[in-house]
Amino acid sequence: MVLASTDPPEVQLAMNRTWHLPFRWVSDPGGTELARPLGAWDDDASIFRPVIVAVAPDGAEVFRELSRDFTDRPDDEPFLTALESLGLEPLAPAPPWAPEALEPRPSKRAFTPASFIPYFRAIKFNTGALSERMVDERDRAEVLTEKGMAESFLATFDEWRAEHPPERQ
């Protein structure tokens, strides 16, 4: 698995260390190398829209889901189902990403564990309230999908916190 963002490698390394991510990162600041070819570049916001692409060992694309905007996060179940359908053996976990001569530089824009819960709780409660005001069922479904995404993130974060308790000072 590889994650990509518009952030420079130093910021990505800080993110890995904050969140204990077992992934490698690709830095695509202008979106020219990966985001635009994948159709995942948002010209208005100058950001990489969330996208999940699964590629089989023979190079064939077996799954793609592109988010509509920066708030829309793909659900992992269809992606995992596509991967499981390939029947591949699991790989051993990769060692932590620690490139030589690269110092982590945290971004002020990055989510920290402390900011995660209030952000997604706000999305959950706001979308719940908004869904009650929606007259159009399609709009209500959109808002409830966003609420479900926030609930899923909060549940996953509870699991993450159990695996990564705060360090004692």
Side-chain angles (χ1 to χ4, degrees):
M1 179 175 284
V2 175
L3 299 176
S5 82
T6 58
D7 293 325
E10 298 83 7
V11 171
Q12 295 169 351
L13 181 58
M15 191 76 143
N16 267 48
R17 290 187 179 171
T18 298
W19 287 97
H20 308 279
L21 299 174
F23 312 117
R24 298 245 174 197
W25 286 84
V26 174
S27 181
D28 189 15
T32 57
E33 301 300 317
L34 191 59
R36 290 178 198 271
L38 287 174
W41 185 253
D42 182 331
D43 282 316
D44 294 331
S46 294
I47 60 171
F48 206 138
R49 286 174 34 209
V51 62
I52 296 177
V53 179
V55 180
D58 66 1
E61 185 177 301
V62 296
F63 181 87
R64 178 188 293 242
E65 185 174 338
L66 177 62
S67 296
R68 295 165 292 192
D69 57 43
F70 70 94
T71 68
D72 185 27
R73 299 291 189 225
D75 184 13
D76 57 356
E77 286 305 317
F79 169 70
L80 294 174
T81 299
L83 287 183
E84 289 171 357
S85 74
L86 295 173
L88 302 171
E89 291 295 317
L91 298 174
W97 181 49
E100 291 183 32
L102 189 64
E103 288 298 317
R105 182 173 44 91
S107 168
K108 292 178 182 171
R109 299 178 308 126
F111 266 115
T112 62
S115 66
F116 191 90
I117 290 175
Y119 179 81
F120 281 98
R121 276 191 186 150
I123 291 173
K124 174 185 166 186
F125 290 113
N126 288 340
T127 53
L130 284 172
S131 71
E132 297 301 316
R133 290 193 244 153
M134 297 287 114
V135 176
D136 183 280
E137 285 304 313
R138 194 177 111 226
D139 290 340
R140 181 188 306 270
E142 285 288 323
V143 172
L144 290 174
T145 297
E146 189 86 2
K147 180 181 182 218
M149 182 267 309
E151 290 170 339
S152 174
F153 271 49
L154 287 166
T156 301
F157 185 63
D158 285 342
E159 293 174 19
W160 181 90
R161 282 192 309 178
E163 294 173 11
H164 303 91
E167 294 179 17
R168 302 281 179 214
Q169 300 293 333

